[in-house]
Amino acid sequence: MTFQEYVDYFEQILASPEEYDPYGDEEYLSYTKLNWSRMNRWLKRFEPNDAMKNLIASMTEPQHWIVITEPWCGDAAHSVAQLYQIVKNNPNIDFEIQLRDKEPFLIDDYLTNGSKSIPKLIIRNDVGHDKVIWGPRPQKLQDLFIQMKEEGRSFEEIKEFTQKWYNEDKGMELQKELLAQLG
């Protein structure tokens, strides 16, 4: 689906959660409402840095950016909006959203340590070869996330820390990692 179709899907879930599994579950719906606010905040406020803008503007070869995600995913609320803002003005970049939990289950080919962690970005060239695979979160945060899990921190504590990290980072690590992989 296009980014706009993803936004429309997100809105449909919020309007009729009982019609979309697992959003009839109050906990999932609560996360999804928060994620809607976070995503929209990034869509309004996130501006790629000059190095990122210049790199994206210089891309003349067709590329296919596929993001595997779900509206309930907290990490995706930050990264997916930022990724879209990075590429939206380059007509050579086709930006596609695939849902993790719906066919064709592309996530099965891009597991993180054996798990279906999202969001996951796959950048392919015009003949379908993977050039970059990124995700589920910036490496600096991923390392902290793993450390906190190993320390036995609660899900609530990890979630709170993660949200604070994204707000303070403002998409800088994501851009730094993409610049390193694409440059």
Side-chain angles (χ1 to χ4, degrees), residues 48-61 63 65 85-93 179 182:
N49 64 37
D50 288 342
M52 191 84 245
K53 284 183 197 173
N54 292 336
L55 177 65
I56 294 298
S58 74
M59 293 178 171
T60 57
E61 297 290 316
Q63 293 185 15
W65 289 40
Q85 293 292 81
I86 287 169
V87 303
K88 71 179 183 181
N89 295 321
N90 186 324
N92 297 310
I93 299 174
L179 285 165
L182 291 166

Side-chain angles (χ1 to χ4, degrees), residues 4-159:
Q4 185 57 54
E5 289 169 335
Y6 177 66
V7 170
D8 294 345
Y9 173 70
F10 214 131
E11 285 182 314
Q12 290 165 6
I13 288 168
L14 294 173
S16 304
E18 64 286 346
E19 294 179 24
Y20 298 89
D21 191 42
Y23 302 99
D25 177 304
E26 192 55 45
E27 197 170 356
Y28 271 95
L29 182 59
S30 178
Y31 292 140
T32 305
K33 287 176 182 176
L34 273 173
N35 294 341
W36 176 255
S37 297
R38 290 174 177 138
M39 181 181 75
N40 281 295
R41 187 179 70 233
W42 288 120
L43 289 172
K44 287 179 190 138
R45 296 186 183 162
F46 177 76
E47 180 76 22
N49 64 37
D50 288 342
M52 191 84 245
K53 284 183 197 173
N54 292 336
L55 177 65
I56 294 298
S58 74
M59 293 178 171
T60 57
E61 297 290 316
Q63 293 185 15
H64 190 69
W65 289 40
I66 303 165
V67 180
I68 304 169
T69 190
E70 288 286 344
W72 51 255
C73 177
D75 290 287
H78 304 279
S79 301
V80 175
Q82 292 170 356
L83 290 167
Y84 174 72
Q85 293 292 81
I86 287 169
V87 303
K88 71 179 183 181
N89 295 321
N90 186 324
N92 297 310
I93 299 174
D94 177 42
F95 190 81
E96 176 188 345
I97 302 283
Q98 285 204 15
L99 298 174
R100 185 193 86 163
D101 299 333
K102 302 256 188 289
E103 290 186 358
F105 302 109
L106 185 61
I107 192 65
D108 291 339
D109 297 329
Y110 297 95
L111 301 177
T112 302
N113 300 322
S115 75
K116 296 180 179 187
S117 300
I118 53 174
K120 193 67 102 165
L121 169 67
I122 301 106
I123 301 175
R124 293 181 176 161
N125 64 15
D126 61 340
V127 292
H129 290 96
D130 293 354
K131 294 174 55 175
V132 172
I133 298 167
W134 178 90
R137 57 185 66 89
Q139 191 59 53
K140 213 179 241 189
L141 178 56
Q142 179 70 358
D143 293 343
L144 292 166
F145 179 85
I146 290 168
Q147 178 185 340
M148 291 177 81
K149 281 183 81 170
E150 288 172 351
E151 292 170 357
R153 305 272 186 101
S154 71
F155 176 70
E156 258 331 287
E157 187 178 359
I158 294 171
K159 188 176 67 169

